[in-house]
Amino acid sequence: MSKTMKIAIVDDEKDMRQSISQWLALSGFDTETYGSAEDALKGINADYPGIVVSDVRMPGMDGMQFLRKLKSVDSTLPVIMITGHGDVPMAVEAMRVGAFDFLEKPFNPDRMTELAKKATQARRLALDSRALRRELSDKDALMRKLIGASPTMERLREDILDLGQAEGHILIEGETGTGKTLVAHALHAVSARSSRKFVLLSCSAYDDDTLSRRLFGPPQQDEPMPAVEEARGGTLVLEDVEALSGPLQARLLTAINDQGSPAETRIIAICNLQDEGKTCESVLRPDLFYRLAALRITVPPLRQRGEDILTLFTRLSEQFAEEYGCDTPEISAQEAAQLLQAPWPGNVRQLINVAERAVLQNRRGTGTIASLLMADTDDSAKPAMTTEGKPLKEFVEAFERMLIDNTMRRHKGSIVAVMEELCLPRRTLNEKMAKYNLSRSDYL
């Protein structure tokens, strides 16, 4: 979708549509004009990257018929109606049908610009959410978004698709850096609310008074709309929900109860408790906890994701190498084993840092993976190796898969080139690719 949203201006009066087009163009919008609703419908589809401004009184298909037709094509498409004097009852009916807003002639051009900005912002959010939902609803695309072929990641993706379609509130738990916020985005994207607002609020980012205003209002001057109002009908994500004070927990519980069932707004609570002996259940009042934890997802720590660690490291290294304009570092079997054995207390967030520093080290021609892992280990912590022993066979297979994957990617799926570089006969290469679920088509 282009960054500049389009505005389709539909009016049978040439002077009027040109006047509106010129004004909106001066305001930075990309406009296109149509002399009739019939012509406009030829250029407006369900994914039209913009909004519509239409007159009500037009020969042939009038504005109300046009509005109903547009809403049947895409119910989320914002349509601003322009009415003449005395057409206010018709404008009220247009709002009931689903018009974004209406302007009565003669209208203030600045008011037109203000409405256009609000409508295009709403359209951009709806299209972005729709695109993400389409991506995440496709299992293959979802796997690319939430990288990993380990059983724990397979289960996580299945949980997202299942719970995303449910109506209850959701509690997401997991260690820091595992990607809980990404999971919250995914849950919203695959839900029936995907075209509605997604509002994210960190409960640990404000003092109690500010958080109360940000969550429930009333806002002070220049503060945004309260989160519970902004997210109405959509999804409200509360990060660090364990940071809510007793009084705010009580207010949140009241707000949830006032919604009734099914809830108008879905709440996704993210818990980041790390202290031993403390859980989200132990710090939230029981009635609130059981409301928020109607459905639960636990995001797996990186150390439990097996060879996903090497897959993620490879993808991240490639991205950083491209960003810094240098070669992707090649890692040895020993370094692959070190990556697999590391405890990763910072999880994916820590892996991102290690991958970036590995690329910078490689550009300078100094340093090792082991040194980066040791640098990330607290002096008081145990050595940077997991206590979960893994058979040598697992390390060998993980490294072998990574090696074939990297080589296939580098040679863009050329089997002959991969055979030559790895000194493997075709049959052996085919067998290993089948064993590791690697397909040549993924690299073309």
Side-chain angles (χ1 to χ4, degrees), residues 38-347:
E38 291 85 352
D39 285 344
L41 286 170
K42 296 174 183 177
I44 300 173
N45 57 26
D47 291 316
Y48 181 71
I51 68 168
V52 177
V53 175
S54 174
D55 193 15
V56 169
R57 302 280 185 182
M58 294 186 292
M61 183 183 293
D62 66 21
M64 289 300 297
Q65 293 172 313
F66 181 42
L67 173 63
R68 289 188 172 91
K69 182 64 176 176
L70 289 174
K71 287 297 171 180
S72 69
V73 171
D74 185 347
S75 62
T76 68
L77 179 64
V79 182
I80 298 171
M81 307 297 292
I82 299 175
T83 66
H85 182 67
D87 285 337
V88 173
M90 188 179 293
V92 172
E93 173 64 11
M95 295 294 287
R96 189 191 67 79
V97 171
F100 184 83
D101 212 325
F102 70 92
L103 289 167
E104 186 177 2
K105 298 177 183 177
F107 54 82
N108 184 333
D110 290 330
R111 174 62 177 159
M112 166 70 79
T113 302
E114 179 187 349
L115 278 181
K117 286 180 179 178
K118 289 181 179 178
T120 51
Q121 182 182 24
R123 183 59 171 167
R124 181 177 285 110
L125 288 170
L127 290 179
D128 286 349
S129 179
R130 181 181 298 170
L132 182 58
R133 185 185 181 196
R134 284 174 179 167
E135 180 181 353
L136 294 178
S137 295
D138 181 316
K139 187 172 182 180
D140 291 335
L142 179 58
M143 289 177 67
R144 289 193 293 272
K145 190 75 177 178
L146 295 164
I147 296 173
S150 63
T152 54
M153 287 304 290
E154 291 283 3
R155 280 196 300 274
L156 178 63
R157 286 189 286 268
E158 290 171 0
D159 286 345
I160 289 170
L161 289 170
D162 288 342
L163 300 189
Q165 296 297 320
E167 287 294 328
H169 305 303
I170 298 178
L171 175 66
I172 302 177
E173 299 171 292
E175 296 178 10
T176 184
T178 50
K180 295 186 291 296
T181 302
L182 173 61
V183 170
H185 277 279
L187 285 164
H188 175 76
V190 301
S191 75
R193 306 169 189 267
S194 61
S195 62
R196 301 178 187 176
K197 276 293 191 76
F198 176 93
V199 178
L200 182 72
L201 181 67
S202 172
C203 299
S204 63
Y206 307 94
D207 60 65
D208 219 38
D209 289 341
T210 305
L211 180 59
S212 178
R213 293 196 308 274
R214 284 289 293 113
L215 193 52
F216 303 108
Q220 293 184 348
Q221 187 175 6
D222 298 327
E223 284 186 338
M225 182 188 303
V228 292
E229 291 297 326
E230 187 181 0
R232 188 176 297 278
T235 302
L236 172 60
V237 179
L238 299 177
E239 285 188 323
D240 305 311
V241 68
E242 70 278 1
L244 286 174
S245 65
L248 288 182
Q249 288 186 37
R251 289 192 66 182
L252 179 60
L253 179 64
T254 300
I256 292 173
N257 290 336
D258 287 346
Q259 288 193 82
S261 181
E264 181 182 14
T265 303
R266 169 182 254 184
I267 296 176
I268 298 178
I270 297 177
C271 184
N272 283 304
L273 274 177
Q274 298 298 310
D275 295 340
E276 289 187 11
K278 282 190 177 181
T279 63
C280 198
E281 185 173 0
S282 69
V283 298
L284 294 180
R285 50 187 291 166
D287 42 7
L288 176 61
F289 173 79
Y290 288 112
R291 284 289 191 145
L292 295 177
L295 304 169
R296 297 170 79 168
I297 284 184
T298 300
V299 185
L302 187 59
R303 63 181 174 277
Q304 293 179 3
R305 292 176 54 183
E307 65 184 56
D308 287 354
I309 295 169
L310 297 184
T311 303
L312 280 163
F313 182 83
T314 298
R315 300 292 186 275
L316 292 166
S317 298
E318 289 172 349
Q319 292 171 13
F320 284 122
E322 182 177 354
E323 181 180 334
Y324 289 113
C326 59
D327 294 333
T328 304
E330 294 185 12
I331 64 174
S332 66
Q334 182 181 4
E335 289 174 323
Q338 290 166 347
L339 289 169
L340 289 169
Q341 285 180 295
W344 299 111
N347 292 290

